[in-house]
Amino acid sequence: MKNMIIAKQLIKRTAALAPMASVADKAYRYMCKKYGASLVVGEMASAKGLCYSDRKTAELLSVTAAEFPMAIQLFGSEPEFMAKACKIAEQYEPQFIDINMGCPVPKVVSTGAGSALMKAPQLAADIVKACVDATAIPITVKIRKGFDDSCVNAVELAQMLEQAGASAITIHGRTRKQMYQPPVDIDIIRQVKQAVTIPVIGNGDITTPETAKQMYEKTGCDLIMVGRGSYGRPWIFEEIETYLETNTRLPEKSLDEKMEIMLEHISLICQFKGEKIAMREARKHVAWYLKGIPHAAKFRNLCSNLEVYADIQQLVKQVQQMQ
């Protein structure tokens, strides 16, 4: 298996886990790492929240050695706060600090952060430079194709971010306006790769081993990043690794295997967050794990009633009895 390098850090050239808010928490990252994710990126955290000692923000940056190599992700629109947040983030000892310039969510964009920075390339470059000057931890950046059809500037922005000191760039091949539709623009990722000398990570619509290989072949990117394609399928990373190595697919996991993995995942959320909080968050994960199985709709309807871990164990028994 080939490797790639970001700022002297060796990373397997398989697939990384994307930084998904309210999804890619410590338990999720642990499961994806267990099944072969070569790099994991945490949920985005507010730079201002970190600077103002917000407890919930700090919790987003808590990492474990089992996750390495990993990156934490910050968002914000003011260079001074971003720089200060990077200094504070050093205590968590991530391999990288990733700056979010791709989030399309209105409450983030309305503050001038996330994908709004695609419309302010000089500010975006100033933020990266301030962060690079503030910490010895390598700074990476996640961007989009552009903000909308009138602002498709990923190539130019990537070049500015490289000049500002970024160690790698992840590009999602859609504009902010497109959100997650229509199909990702593979060509813009290829263009960014050709325009810079730092590593480029391709992101968007990677849901199978085949689409993973296609992203590598059509863009020449150094690494690929999986987001929604890992919902309820943390094992997608081992599927991708095997396919890239052998051009063959692993056998589909049995229902019992899927349920065992789900139980382990939910148990970890309980361990990290406590059962009360974990059960609320577990409902969406359980629904994702159940997708595609016989009678899935019936079982997904029961997810809103999950209150304690024993409820999930009972749900699994019902699922297995119905197959």
Side-chain angles (χ1 to χ4, degrees):
M1 176 57 62
K2 296 180 180 178
N3 297 308
M4 53 90 66
I5 298 174
I6 299 178
K8 298 182 180 180
Q9 174 69 52
L10 199 66
I11 299 170
K12 289 174 69 175
R13 196 168 181 254
T14 53
L17 173 67
M20 297 175 286
S22 301
V23 175
D25 61 7
K26 193 185 302 184
Y28 198 96
R29 299 192 303 266
Y30 180 91
M31 294 301 295
C32 292
K33 176 64 73 171
K34 177 179 178 178
Y35 287 97
S38 61
L39 170 70
V40 295
V41 187
E43 303 170 88
M44 66 177 183
S46 165
K48 278 192 172 180
L50 194 59
C51 292
Y52 290 136
S53 302
D54 178 71
R55 179 181 59 82
K56 289 185 178 180
T57 299
E59 288 176 354
L60 293 175
L61 303 184
S62 174
V63 301
T64 59
E67 300 174 56
F68 292 169
M70 77 89 61
I72 60 174
Q73 190 182 69
L74 300 175
F75 75 93
S77 59
E78 298 165 89
E80 61 272 25
F81 276 105
M82 292 294 287
K84 183 178 179 182
C86 285
K87 286 299 296 181
I88 297 171
E90 289 179 342
Q91 66 186 290
Y92 301 99
E93 300 182 341
Q95 277 71 49
F96 312 104
I97 296 176
D98 191 60
I99 300 175
N100 186 306
M101 297 186 184
C103 179
V105 177
K107 68 178 181 180
V108 173
V109 174
S110 64
T111 68
S115 57
L117 288 168
M118 300 293 299
K119 298 189 296 182
Q122 188 56 58
L123 175 59
D126 291 344
I127 287 172
V128 169
K129 186 176 188 310
C131 293
V132 169
D133 290 344
T135 180
I137 297 175
I139 301 297
T140 62
V141 189
K142 192 169 191 287
I143 65 174
R144 279 184 169 247
K145 174 181 177 177
F147 190 80
D148 55 27
D149 288 343
S150 67
C151 180
V152 176
N153 61 342
V155 172
E156 296 81 8
L157 179 59
Q159 291 173 326
M160 293 176 68
L161 299 179
E162 178 180 26
Q163 292 171 4
S167 292
I169 293 172
T170 299
I171 171 169
H172 182 105
R174 294 186 179 90
T175 64
R176 185 265 171 174
K177 185 176 181 180
Q178 290 174 315
M179 298 292 281
Y180 298 101
Q181 297 289 338
V184 69
D185 183 349
I186 292 285
D187 193 56
I188 194 70
I189 299 173
R190 180 188 60 79
Q191 291 177 40
V192 169
K193 170 57 186 171
Q194 293 178 346
V196 298
T197 61
I198 56 177
V200 171
I201 302 170
N203 175 227
D205 287 355
I206 300 173
T207 57
T208 64
E210 290 83 1
T211 51
K213 186 175 183 180
Q214 181 183 62
M215 178 69 81
Y216 273 122
E217 291 178 344
K218 292 193 174 182
T219 69
C221 62
D222 301 279
L223 187 65
I224 60 172
M225 181 172 282
V226 178
R228 292 170 297 151
S230 66
Y231 285 2
R233 295 181 61 84
W235 56 85
I236 189 174
F237 296 95
E238 67 177 10
E239 291 180 336
I240 289 172
E241 181 171 355
T242 297
Y243 192 79
L244 292 176
E245 285 184 333
T246 67
N247 207 37
T248 58
R249 264 183 169 270
L250 286 174
E252 179 67 21
K253 292 200 179 297
S254 68
L255 176 65
D256 287 346
E257 288 175 317
K258 292 177 181 179
M259 293 300 95
E260 182 179 347
I261 294 168
M262 180 182 77
L263 288 173
E264 179 184 3
H265 184 176
I266 307 308
S267 176
L268 281 172
I269 303 176
C270 292
Q271 177 184 325
F272 293 138
K273 299 183 178 181
E275 190 174 51
K276 184 176 180 180
I277 294 175
M279 285 303 99
R280 291 199 303 268
E281 297 188 2
R283 294 166 186 169
K284 63 177 178 285
H285 293 291
V286 173
W288 290 333
Y289 277 103
L290 295 175
K291 184 177 180 181
I293 71 168
H295 313 291
K298 171 186 175 180
F299 292 120
R300 284 200 300 271
N301 289 336
L302 299 175
C303 291
S304 60
N305 299 322
L306 299 173
E307 298 291 343
V308 295
Y309 184 69
D311 291 339
I312 295 181
Q313 293 175 308
Q314 184 60 38
L315 178 61
V316 168
K317 290 180 181 179
Q318 294 179 49
V319 169
Q320 292 171 326
Q321 288 169 358
M322 289 286 287
Q323 307 310 308

